[in-house]
Amino acid sequence: SDVYKRQNAEYMGSSQRELASKAALQEKLIHVAAVSIDKAFSLYRNPISTYITEKNEDDIVFEVAKANSLLTWLKFQKFYEALTTAAAAGREEEDVIAELVEQLTEERKKEFIDHRNQRNEKISLLVRARQITISGKVYGFLAILNGRSVVFVHVANGIGHKALRFELSAVKYFTKYRYMFKQTGLELWRFGVRRSSLFEFDDTTSRDAVYKFLKDGAEKARDLLLHREEVTRLWSRGLVSNYDYLLYLNSTANRSFHDLSSYPVFPWILSNYTGEELDLEDPSNFRDLSLPVGSLNKHRFRRFMDYYEDLKADKTERHAYYYPTHYSTPGFVVFFLVRRIPEFLVKLQNAVFLPTDRVFRSMEQTWYATVNNGPDVKELIPEFYGTDIGFLVNSEKLELGVTNEGEVVDNVVLPEWARNPSDFLIKMRAALESNYVSANLHKWIDLIFGCKQRGDQAVLAQNMFYPLTYEEHVRWNEVRNAYERAALEVQVTEFGQTPVQLFKGPHPARVVRLFNLDPSIEGSETEQLLVKKLKVATKEVERLHLELEKAGNEQMKKISDQMRELKDLELRNAGHVDKVKEEHKNEVRRLQETVKTLEARLREKNFMDLEMHAKPVDFDEDEFHQDLEVLISRKEEQKEDDRRDGGREARESELETLLAKVIAENEELRSRLSKGQAESPPQPRRR
């Protein structure tokens, strides 16, 4: 345009002094003129202009007043000229964009390194990365500074622009992410930030390097996968709600709110969208959670079964399956969120909202179509059990079309049992937390995240989908050319991805429920009741956690005290045992000396000599028995001590043998004295 040419000429003709003046650059304004645009309806100020057929020759002037506005304009000019040149030369637009992004990335990396060196900041790690958002990829690079700060710089921004920056200590959770069936992604959550951040890297090595920094440097952070068994146990005991547990499983199975191709998946819970009342104690109001959506209608499933049998009989088909579509695709997500992010549906449908049968109109009609029509086997998204009514209300007044009956498509038509969108979401959440769902949700988890997701059990559970929706069938290393790669990327991006399999065996059932939500009260009272019970449940969970922690600490202290007592007792027993052993040795030594003395005196006496004519020895039998009783009493005391100290069978046997020997010698002495032939002179009494 003339405005662009004039401004460009003014810039090119500026003096070097003017270019060097920062103040002049800050004050300089760049005006960009757009010659022709699509006219938006003035009545509703419709933000989606691409599908409107009415046009107007208006000019819109954009005003830029930033410190580096000239640099921004030059980047845009370079980008625009490259695209127009490529179009004239017949080159593919995507190839040109990739080259420009590559060039910009290298330029920004060099600028970033120089800038950090000037500030004396150490770059611990620097890798190219893309931040994945629901709007698309943001190209840039990720750096770790001084081993503690994470910075993501967008290549389209200057180095002085605000970048995503946070400390490693601010990371709460993190996990490796499978993006486009490639192990090149990383998702992390920060304290105080509701949404996560999702990044894609060039290869697994770069991703693992960042993961290692998070694992080593983020002291407060935890890997989600390392605590899955603990979270499952808490859920099965009723300490985690069904909603929170499903969100956790989606996160660990690489389903992210930033990735339309792998958006979190939630089940259809209710089957009643026509009644005036909703009784959550009536099982007939619920969907069978043990079956995939495709087999809920037995008549329709016969067609899927015939399709499966035909594929199985076809020798050219390597993998037979029941359903040609998936339960979670970008199209289904955008279908539900059309009132919140209408631009995505416009892109998917070639810049139009029509036909109206592709617009989310009514819960009753959507449920009917899902269960009865063609290959539609979609599940729901978390928003149906949340608190934001934005996706149900046409707040932007989008012109979504008119039905064949002349009905204007506006807000989502809700069941009669819901008074308003808020009441609808409250009752949907109450249904998710109901007794029926709590008792059967593990069956649905087996289908989506568990043992019935793949293999023979999936065949028996009627849960097999198109092969390229499974990671093991997408082999990027076998792609032979750019066309095959592009086709495979479209398949993976647009037609669904089966989540990571989290459980190889059957998922445990939920056996305890913490609270019950009663949706029988209408309107605001229901909301108040829900909020009240959620608060009570939260406090109860916190109390139980504190009690468990306190009980655990007390138990550990008790065990520690017991171990200390046992150790002290062991030391005391060791000293006592040594003392008893010493006493036993002394007693044995004393008895041995007594026996030796008796033997010596017997030899001296020499009762066998016939020349001895002495009187019989004055043998005091009463005194002998008294001494014998003392010895026996001592032996009994010793045995009692041995029993108290654990017993010493060998020592007891030795003492018994010694005592028997003494008794035998005394008996022999008595016998010899009684047979004495001569009277010996009086002798001292002997023991």
Side-chain angles (χ1 to χ4, degrees):
S1 68
D2 293 337
V3 177
Y4 161 69
K5 293 178 181 178
R6 183 173 69 254
Q7 293 293 336
N8 190 41
E10 290 178 3
Y11 169 70
M12 298 304 293
S14 300
S15 64
Q16 295 296 327
R17 183 177 61 183
E18 181 182 4
L19 290 175
S21 174
K22 184 176 181 180
L25 293 178
Q26 289 177 337
E27 294 174 359
K28 198 170 186 66
L29 301 179
I30 302 299
H31 300 278
V32 182
V35 177
S36 178
I37 63 167
D38 294 338
K39 179 182 178 182
F41 283 117
S42 60
L43 178 62
Y44 297 127
R45 295 187 178 276
N46 197 322
I48 306 304
S49 62
T50 52
Y51 78 102
I52 304 298
T53 57
E54 186 177 353
K55 295 184 179 180
N56 182 38
E57 297 293 330
D58 287 342
D59 289 343
I60 293 182
V61 178
F62 298 90
E63 193 172 87
V64 183
K66 293 184 178 180
N68 60 350
S69 59
L70 289 178
L71 295 176
T72 303
W73 171 247
L74 288 176
K75 284 190 294 185
F76 173 78
Q77 178 187 3
K78 180 179 180 181
F79 188 79
Y80 177 77
E81 290 177 349
L83 286 179
T84 54
T85 302
R91 294 185 60 194
E92 291 290 339
E93 192 174 279
E94 287 135 356
D95 295 339
V96 178
I97 293 175
E99 292 177 3
L100 289 171
V101 169
E102 178 74 21
Q103 183 179 352
L104 281 173
T105 302
E106 294 303 319
E107 291 176 359
R108 295 296 169 269
K109 283 175 65 176
K110 185 177 182 303
E111 293 175 6
F112 181 81
I113 294 173
D114 294 340
H115 184 66
R116 296 303 164 183
N117 289 337
Q118 293 175 7
R119 301 181 60 176
N120 294 324
E121 289 183 318
K122 178 184 177 182
I123 301 177
S124 305
L125 181 68
L126 181 65
V127 292
R128 295 201 308 179
R130 275 79 57 197
Q131 184 177 8
I132 308 301
T133 68
I134 197 169
S135 302
K137 296 181 181 180
V138 179
Y139 288 81
F141 52 87
L142 187 141
I144 297 180
L145 305 178
N146 301 320
R148 62 175 183 272
S149 299
V150 180
V151 181
F152 177 76
V153 179
H154 189 344
V155 295
N157 293 339
I159 299 303
H161 275 64
K162 182 179 179 181
L164 175 62
R165 179 166 183 165
F166 54 89
E167 301 298 313
L168 286 174
S169 58
V171 179
K172 186 177 183 180
Y173 298 108
F174 60 92
T175 185
K176 294 179 179 179
Y177 191 88
R178 182 195 67 182
Y179 183 71
M180 295 280 291
F181 286 148
K182 302 175 184 178
Q183 293 299 331
T184 56
L186 182 70
E187 189 170 18
L188 57 87
W189 292 258
R190 289 175 285 156
F191 291 100
V193 180
R194 183 182 178 187
R195 290 297 187 187
S196 63
S197 297
L198 178 61
F199 298 98
E200 180 206 12
F201 300 90
D202 288 344
D203 48 48
T204 305
T205 303
S206 300
R207 189 273 308 273
D208 290 346
V210 178
Y211 178 85
K212 186 177 185 302
F213 263 98
L214 289 175
K215 189 175 181 180
D216 297 340
E219 299 177 355
K220 300 179 182 179
R222 297 188 297 175
D223 189 334
L224 283 178
L225 294 176
L226 300 180
H227 303 275
R228 190 173 64 221
E229 293 182 359
E230 177 185 352
V231 176
T232 299
R233 179 178 58 82
L234 291 174
W235 173 81
S236 65
R237 294 176 57 190
L239 300 178
V240 176
S241 68
N242 293 336
Y243 177 81
D244 289 331
Y245 187 58
L246 289 177
L247 281 181
Y248 172 79
L249 292 182
N250 274 279
S251 296
T252 54
N254 295 157
R255 315 287 295 188
S256 174
F257 286 97
H258 300 293
D259 187 0
L260 279 178
S261 300
S262 187
Y263 204 76
V265 56
F266 268 55
W268 285 94
I269 294 297
L270 297 173
S271 60
N272 177 11
Y273 297 97
T274 58
E276 296 181 357
E277 300 292 336
L278 179 63
D279 182 6
L280 295 184
E281 298 301 324
D282 184 359
S284 63
N285 288 327
F286 292 89
R287 162 256 182 111
D288 187 351
L289 290 168
S290 66
L291 298 175
V293 171
S295 62
L296 292 177
N297 185 331
K298 300 302 179 183
H299 299 288
R300 183 178 67 160
F301 181 71
R302 290 196 188 100
R303 298 197 297 271
F304 289 131
M305 177 60 78
D306 293 340
Y307 182 69
Y308 172 80
E309 294 296 338
D310 291 342
L311 291 176
K312 195 174 180 181
D314 189 352
K315 302 302 182 181
T316 61
E317 288 289 341
R318 297 174 58 186
H319 306 285
Y321 52 92
Y322 295 103
Y323 315 110
T325 61
H326 203 255
Y327 50 79
S328 177
T329 68
F332 293 153
V333 176
V334 171
F335 170 81
F336 288 126
L337 300 180
V338 61
R339 290 164 180 82
R340 181 189 293 173
I341 48 174
E343 60 270 24
F344 290 98
L345 185 61
V346 170
K347 291 178 182 179
L348 284 174
Q349 299 185 175
N350 299 322
V352 294
F353 278 135
L354 300 175
T356 55
D357 58 358
R358 294 186 184 181
V359 177
F360 180 32
R361 297 169 49 199
S362 160
M363 285 301 300
E364 178 186 351
Q365 292 180 359
T366 302
W367 168 249
Y368 179 87
T370 300
V371 177
N372 296 283
N373 291 352
D376 189 352
V377 294
K378 61 177 172 289
E379 292 280 8
L380 294 183
I381 56 178
E383 281 78 359
F384 280 92
Y385 305 99
T387 58
D388 186 0
I389 64 173
F391 77 105
L392 300 173
V393 180
N394 187 16
S395 58
E396 296 288 349
K397 297 302 179 181
L398 302 170
E399 196 167 281
L400 300 173
V402 180
T403 65
N404 295 330
E405 294 78 17
E407 177 187 354
V408 176
V409 179
D410 192 22
N411 297 335
V412 176
V413 179
L414 302 174
E416 293 185 16
W417 46 257
R419 293 183 57 185
N420 50 56
S422 296
D423 186 55
F424 171 74
L425 293 183
I426 290 172
K427 290 179 178 178
M428 288 288 286
R429 179 66 174 273
L432 180 63
E433 305 296 340
S434 65
N435 288 328
Y436 177 86
V437 176
S438 294
N440 294 278
L441 186 58
H442 64 284
K443 301 175 183 177
W444 185 84
I445 293 174
D446 284 339
L447 294 172
I448 306 301
F449 303 106
C451 60
K452 297 180 181 179
Q453 186 197 83
R454 286 170 163 81
D456 295 337
Q457 292 195 54
V459 175
L460 296 176
Q462 305 164 1
N463 195 40
M464 292 297 295
F465 298 86
Y466 184 63
L468 290 182
T469 62
Y470 297 89
E471 181 180 6
E472 58 268 25
H473 299 312
V474 178
R475 302 181 178 89
W476 295 103
N477 58 341
E478 296 181 5
V479 174
R480 292 172 292 185
N481 51 56
Y483 297 103
E484 287 187 2
R485 178 170 295 277
L488 192 56
E489 287 178 352
V490 170
Q491 166 64 43
V492 173
T493 304
E494 303 293 342
F495 296 99
Q497 301 176 18
T498 300
V500 173
Q501 188 175 19
L502 300 178
F503 307 97
K504 300 298 183 182
H507 192 281
R510 185 178 173 92
V511 294
V512 178
R513 269 183 15 98
L514 188 60
F515 57 89
N516 182 36
L517 299 176
D518 183 7
S520 60
I521 302 176
E522 299 280 350
S524 62
E525 294 183 8
T526 305
E527 185 173 4
Q528 293 174 4
L529 178 64
L530 175 65
V531 172
K532 181 179 178 181
K533 291 193 174 184
L534 286 175
K535 289 181 178 179
V536 172
T538 303
K539 291 181 180 179
E540 183 68 11
V541 170
E542 293 176 354
R543 184 185 66 80
L544 288 173
H545 277 297
L546 290 175
E547 288 183 359
L548 287 172
E549 184 177 359
K550 181 179 178 181
N553 293 337
E554 291 177 354
Q555 187 68 16
M556 290 300 297
K557 182 179 178 182
K558 184 177 179 181
I559 293 174
S560 178
D561 293 341
Q562 291 177 349
M563 292 297 294
R564 193 184 304 104
E565 291 177 1
L566 288 174
K567 188 173 182 179
D568 294 342
L569 181 61
E570 182 180 356
L571 292 174
R572 289 197 302 271
N573 287 341
H576 184 65
V577 169
D578 293 338
K579 182 178 179 181
V580 171
K581 286 182 179 180
E582 188 65 27
E583 291 178 354
H584 287 173
K585 289 181 180 180
N586 294 336
E587 183 66 19
V588 170
R589 193 180 300 109
R590 191 184 65 78
L591 290 173
Q592 289 176 346
E593 291 175 355
T594 301
V595 171
K596 289 180 180 180
T597 302
L598 288 173
E599 290 177 347
R601 289 181 180 179
L602 285 173
R603 282 195 296 272
E604 292 175 0
K605 191 64 182 166
N606 195 8
F607 291 103
M608 301 302 296
D609 189 1
L610 296 177
E611 296 180 356
M612 293 180 59
H613 298 283
K615 294 181 180 181
V617 176
D618 187 6
F619 182 81
D620 191 338
E621 187 172 352
D622 293 336
E623 187 175 353
F624 170 77
H625 283 290
Q626 290 178 1
D627 295 339
L628 186 60
E629 288 174 0
V630 170
L631 188 61
I632 293 173
S633 175
R634 185 178 299 169
K635 174 179 176 297
E636 292 297 327
E637 292 176 357
Q638 190 64 50
K639 290 174 67 177
E640 183 66 20
D641 290 339
D642 287 344
R643 279 194 298 271
R644 185 172 58 253
D645 296 328
R648 298 291 185 270
E649 295 181 358
R651 189 178 297 104
E652 183 178 342
S653 175
E654 182 181 357
L655 290 174
E656 288 179 352
T657 303
L658 192 58
L659 180 60
K661 183 177 180 181
V662 172
I663 294 174
E665 290 179 348
N666 279 280
E667 290 294 335
E668 183 180 359
L669 178 60
R670 286 184 61 187
S671 175
R672 289 180 179 178
L673 288 175
S674 62
K675 295 180 181 180
Q677 299 178 4
E679 187 175 336
S680 62
Q683 298 291 332
R685 295 178 179 176
R686 301 178 184 277
R687 295 184 181 181

